[in-house]
Amino acid sequence: MSDELKKGLEGVLVAESGLSYIDGDEGRLVYRGHTIEDLARGASYEEVLYLLWNGELPTESELDAFASDMAAERAVDDDVLGTVRDLAEADEVPMAAVRTAVSELSAFDPDATEDADPTDRKANLAKGKRLTAKLPTLVAAFTRLRDGDEPVEPREDLSHAANFLYMLNGEEPDDVMEEVFDQALVLHADHGLNASTFSAMVTASTLADLHSAITSAIGTLSGSLHGGANQNVMEMLEEVDASGKDPVEWVETALDDGRRVAGFGHRVYNVKDPRAKILSEQSEDLGEAAGDTKWYEMSVAIEEYMREEKGLAPNVDFYSASTYYQMGIPVDIYTPIFAMSRVGGWIAHVLEQYDDNRLIRPRARYVGPEDRTFTPIDER
């Protein structure tokens, strides 16, 4: 066994997966053999979920049944909504509120019984549908309650994307908003063994249940180096706008002051994130539709400077920030929306883990003191 230290497990192969493939040098992302470009522009989020969980894209009848089953699971038990209300009144951080509510969902899941087999695939697919369907309800309810509004009940006749926007704003979105948001969900659905996915797999490897694994993943996603990055990007763009400075001038000053420019660099991609390419188009389209492209233009100016002067390319967070902002989505629920999408990938990876499970148990190199003499407490 090699004793070479790999901080952060960088470059270490720990599993085989048939879910997603990333080529960091070419800027490619593939879900089960389908390019992200094809899926984002041609498939709905529901289709991508079916693909990730079942291995193939659904037929029209399979999709109708799958989407209908999931839509029927959108409502959340009153006791869980009561917890969400309490968390909103306590001004809890959005991701912490979501983490707590998702954990509580297990108490009301008919397949999450004490004697249930955690690896039962049929039961886990049913639980996965419920978790994926209810997460948007939790996020929308928390957002409205903390803003002093009552939750909007979910509708079964809307798509996954449209239903969330309806629950969030109380109004049915137009076709453009629905399409853009659905595309964003597709782009974030899976991304290899990222930190939150690996966290879910570690939890599942102990034969903990699906709700425990997803709760672990949500906690991991909440960190600013992972899911919180898109919120950091938008807060940066707002700061640039408020300063009145040219974006490039602002960035130069920030770098001189030792600050990090959010939304650039990636542990996997050495070129522009393919998801960022698609979201940049959406950011531009939304700006043009609203008659104000300043956020897009600001982002492009910063991207060009960072590429030419620092050799850094934007990641998915850089353009998802302005895309969500122009849809009227509050900045501090960007990461919960990330969780709403990535839950599909988390579930798919947990299913893979259960299918060929081995407890994940890495080693650490001990660098502490050795051969110390023990001194009884009355002599210390």
Side-chain angles (χ1 to χ4, degrees):
M1 181 180 295
S2 173
D3 287 329
E4 182 183 0
L5 182 64
K6 295 283 189 177
K7 294 281 284 186
L9 296 182
E10 185 165 2
V12 176
L13 287 174
V14 299
E16 291 183 334
S17 175
L19 294 168
S20 59
Y21 168 71
I22 304 165
D23 186 329
D25 295 325
E26 296 293 328
R28 295 183 66 231
L29 173 60
V30 175
Y31 295 171
R32 289 200 183 274
H34 295 277
T35 68
I36 195 62
E37 290 81 4
D38 285 347
L39 292 173
R41 296 187 172 108
S44 66
Y45 181 66
E46 288 91 330
E47 287 177 83
V48 169
L49 283 180
Y50 190 98
L51 171 68
L52 289 172
W53 295 355
N54 297 286
E56 300 290 343
L57 287 167
T59 63
E60 188 171 355
S61 61
E62 287 172 337
L63 177 61
D64 287 344
F66 179 81
S68 178
D69 287 348
M70 202 163 73
E73 299 288 357
R74 289 171 176 164
V76 172
D77 189 274
D78 288 343
D79 287 342
V80 180
L81 282 179
T83 297
V84 172
R85 185 182 297 275
D86 291 342
L87 293 167
E89 291 175 354
D91 199 26
E92 178 61 283
V93 175
M95 277 297 280
V98 171
R99 183 197 66 228
T100 300
V102 165
S103 182
E104 188 178 5
L105 286 178
S106 67
F108 302 93
D109 193 302
D111 288 299
T113 58
E114 185 178 358
D115 58 350
D117 177 3
T119 68
D120 184 328
R121 184 175 181 85
K122 182 179 179 181
N124 283 327
L125 284 170
K127 286 190 279 189
K129 286 180 183 177
R130 296 184 193 108
L131 279 164
T132 307
K134 296 178 192 304
L135 248 176
T137 307
L138 296 174
V139 174
F142 175 82
T143 305
R144 291 183 64 83
L145 286 165
R146 63 95 184 262
D147 292 341
D149 300 316
E150 283 300 303
V152 173
E153 292 187 6
R155 283 170 47 181
E156 294 185 26
D157 61 319
L158 298 176
S159 70
H160 193 74
N163 177 64
F164 171 72
L165 294 175
Y166 166 72
M167 290 190 296
L168 184 68
N169 301 315
E171 298 179 359
E172 190 173 337
D174 60 30
D175 291 344
V176 174
M177 287 290 190
E178 178 182 1
E179 180 182 355
V180 170
F181 191 68
D182 183 79
Q183 197 172 74
L185 293 177
V186 169
L187 292 171
H188 287 86
D190 194 41
H191 204 244
L193 264 61
N194 55 84
S196 55
T197 296
F198 188 61
S199 175
M201 291 169 61
V202 171
T203 301
S205 79
T206 71
L207 295 186
D209 71 342
L210 183 64
H211 284 82
S212 296
I214 301 307
T215 303
S216 293
I218 292 172
T220 305
L221 186 71
S222 67
S224 63
L225 294 182
H226 191 7
N230 53 9
Q231 179 176 340
N232 295 341
V233 171
M234 197 61 230
E235 290 172 349
M236 177 189 74
L237 293 177
E238 289 181 311
E239 185 177 344
V240 174
D241 185 52
S243 73
K245 293 182 179 179
D246 175 83
V248 171
E249 179 187 355
W250 187 94
V251 169
E252 289 176 331
T253 301
L255 292 172
D256 287 343
D257 291 342
R259 296 182 59 181
R260 182 177 178 272
V261 178
F264 287 86
H266 198 280
R267 280 282 289 271
V268 178
Y269 294 111
N270 299 315
V271 295
K272 187 172 181 176
D273 188 326
R275 301 167 298 174
K277 292 180 181 179
I278 298 170
L279 284 169
S280 67
E281 297 169 5
Q282 296 291 21
S283 178
E284 182 180 20
D285 290 345
L286 286 171
E288 289 177 348
D292 183 3
T293 59
K294 75 173 183 179
W295 299 111
Y296 171 75
E297 292 170 0
M298 188 185 304
S299 299
V300 170
I302 294 173
E303 177 189 352
E304 291 176 348
Y305 173 82
M306 293 295 287
R307 182 184 65 246
E308 295 169 4
E309 299 298 324
K310 303 299 178 182
L312 293 174
N315 54 44
V316 66
D317 303 303
F318 189 67
Y319 280 104
S320 67
S322 56
T323 299
Y324 291 156
Y325 192 84
Q326 292 175 105
M327 296 178 73
I329 296 173
V331 175
D332 66 348
I333 67 163
Y334 287 6
T335 308
I337 288 173
F338 195 157
M340 279 170 39
S341 171
R342 186 57 59 81
V343 68
W346 292 335
I347 291 166
H349 282 274
V350 168
L351 292 174
E352 274 195 337
Q353 183 67 38
Y354 285 146
D355 285 344
D356 185 25
N357 188 57
R358 181 171 173 78
L359 178 67
I360 297 174
R361 203 314 190 172
R363 296 170 57 216
R365 179 188 297 157
Y366 179 69
V367 294
E370 296 182 13
D371 301 325
R372 302 177 81 174
T373 301
F374 177 78
T375 305
I377 192 167
D378 58 356
E379 297 179 16
R380 293 178 214 157

